[in-house]
Amino acid sequence: MSTIETQPRSVSQTQQYEDCAWRFYLQRVERVVPRPAAWGHHGTAFHSAAEDFELSGRTMGAEEVVQRFSDLYSDLVNKSLDQEPDTGRWLSAGRVSGGEDIERRYVLGQEQTARYVEWAKEAGPDIWLTPANKPAVELYFMVEIGGVSVRGYIDQLTVEPDDSLRVRDLKTGTMKSRFQLETYKVAVEKSFNVPVNKGDWYLAKNGGLSRTVKLDQVTDEQVGDRFAAMDAGVKRGDFPARPDFHCRFCDVSHACSFKQ
């Protein structure tokens, strides 16, 4: 059985460790049961609905895609309610209760899913086909970066006019990670030997793309340094707490003695 010291790393692990290594420890070593949050189910259901739509060759109708979101969101929420029926203990964004956030995101996610279908059909981004002739949607990778095994899923790879690739991450929230795009660039080039010079985010809140992020100068070494530093810290057992404003959004804060 693998332990946290020997497991492959990911962007989310690394950023969590950098933001607050104690949260990393509580969640991934102590295995503290996190408090649920509707925003996580919102994002998961939206991504899954968008993936189904893209894998259908964009032949699915908007109503069908929205229903896919609705069914999965409801299923995920209900499973979390079985584990934590007190919605007062759920995390929520803004000045709404956990229960209100569950209901609000059900409607919001439906609207965002329908808008994505409309946008994709109008904008028509060209999804890259891998050498195995598979659409590059939710594309899994496992590569070595900075001497560390790194794995993850890339939401989308699209084709540029010069036949280079663009990495795209779909976001239902506001937090965007340049490091995520940089990691994806390195992973794609290592896996497929195809240049990736640009990246962006599809912003579900806005129904369109973010500004373009230039990635042509990003190096394996630059990205690898962050993974190597995180990996070394975990193996040393070094988990310093960094309490700040973000403690209010931490899903294991109920087990933390350092929270603000």
Side-chain angles (χ1 to χ4, degrees):
M1 179 184 296
S2 64
T3 66
I4 194 64
E5 291 84 5
T6 61
Q7 289 173 0
R9 305 308 178 197
S10 67
V11 170
S12 60
Q13 279 190 35
T14 302
Q15 291 185 147
Q16 185 184 64
Y17 182 87
E18 292 173 345
D19 291 342
C20 181
W22 187 244
R23 179 185 179 188
F24 178 100
Y25 175 81
L26 290 176
Q27 184 172 330
R28 302 177 188 272
V29 180
E30 288 295 316
R31 300 292 185 180
V32 171
V33 177
R35 292 165 60 191
W39 64 60
H41 301 327
H42 175 188
T44 298
F46 175 84
H47 277 76
S48 183
E51 178 185 3
D52 285 353
F53 172 66
E54 293 294 353
L55 292 178
S56 78
R58 300 182 185 144
T59 60
M60 291 175 66
E63 290 186 4
E64 186 180 1
V65 184
V66 170
Q67 189 63 52
R68 168 62 176 160
F69 167 86
S70 304
D71 290 344
L72 181 55
Y73 179 81
S74 298
D75 184 55
L76 292 169
V77 167
N78 287 333
K79 286 179 179 177
S80 289
L81 285 171
D82 287 342
Q83 296 177 349
E84 179 50 82
D86 181 2
T87 57
R89 288 181 50 80
W90 284 50
L91 294 171
S92 63
R95 298 181 179 180
V96 297
S97 68
E100 290 170 332
D101 200 35
I102 290 172
E103 295 177 1
R104 181 177 68 92
R105 289 180 181 276
Y106 180 77
V107 176
L108 178 61
Q110 290 178 326
E111 294 171 348
Q112 291 177 344
T113 301
R115 196 178 306 131
Y116 176 81
V117 172
E118 180 182 358
W119 170 82
K121 287 187 174 181
E122 289 182 355
D126 186 8
I127 301 293
W128 183 61
L129 293 178
T130 70
N133 205 36
K134 302 285 188 180
V137 176
E138 288 297 314
L139 182 66
Y140 176 78
F141 67 85
M142 170 84 86
V143 297
E144 184 175 295
I145 307 178
V148 178
S149 293
V150 178
R151 65 183 173 191
Y153 289 88
I154 302 170
D155 286 348
Q156 295 179 359
L157 286 173
T158 64
V159 181
E160 293 287 282
D162 62 358
D163 291 328
S164 66
L165 301 181
R166 176 186 293 247
V167 289
R168 176 162 297 150
D169 192 53
L170 310 184
K171 305 297 294 184
T172 53
T174 57
M175 299 299 291
K176 302 189 294 292
S177 168
R178 181 184 175 94
F179 178 57
Q180 185 177 37
L181 298 183
E182 292 174 344
T183 299
Y184 292 171
K185 172 226 168 55
V186 173
V188 170
E189 292 184 344
K190 280 178 169 286
S191 299
F192 300 105
N193 196 30
V194 180
V196 177
N197 298 322
K198 297 177 181 178
D200 59 30
W201 298 274
Y202 173 83
L203 305 176
K205 285 190 173 184
N206 303 331
L209 297 179
S210 71
R211 63 179 177 81
T212 295
V213 178
K214 293 184 178 181
L215 301 172
D216 53 306
Q217 300 301 311
V218 174
T219 65
D220 184 344
E221 292 76 14
Q222 174 188 339
V223 175
D225 284 348
R226 288 180 66 173
F227 283 110
M230 174 268 187
D231 185 66
V234 171
K235 288 176 177 175
R236 287 196 308 270
D238 188 12
F239 301 104
R242 298 183 178 90
D244 62 14
F245 169 77
H246 293 95
C247 291
R248 64 177 295 190
F249 303 110
C250 177
D251 56 2
V252 291
S253 62
H254 55 285
C256 180
S257 57
F258 298 100
K259 65 182 178 182
Q260 283 196 352

